[in-house]
Amino acid sequence: MAVSISVVLLLLILAVIFLRSGGLKVSHALVCALLGFFLAGTSLAPTIYDGVSATADVVSSVKP
């Protein structure tokens, strides 16, 4: 749960930065958000979740 909230916050911050800098249009952000909602309802959602979780585990285990 904490990983998914962190990822959502990171993506939200990136979207706001891109919107403000002009690199991302509102329509593009809307399409990306809708794609995320539709992907969450498919059979691919557990695979995506497992991949993000595994990546987060690898990143958290790396020591600087």
Side-chain angles (χ1 to χ4, degrees):
M1 178 79 157
V3 172
S4 63
I5 292 172
S6 298
V7 171
V8 168
L9 287 176
L10 175 67
L11 291 175
L12 180 65
I13 290 169
L14 285 173
V16 168
I17 290 171
F18 288 146
L19 280 170
R20 288 185 175 248
S21 69
L24 181 70
K25 295 184 166 76
V26 175
S27 60
H28 298 153
L30 183 64
V31 168
C32 291
L34 288 174
L35 175 65
F37 282 116
F38 285 124
L39 274 177
T42 65
S43 62
L44 224 71
T47 306
I48 295 170
Y49 179 78
D50 291 340
V52 170
S53 295
T55 304
D57 289 340
V58 168
V59 170
S60 68
S61 68
V62 172
K63 306 250 180 196

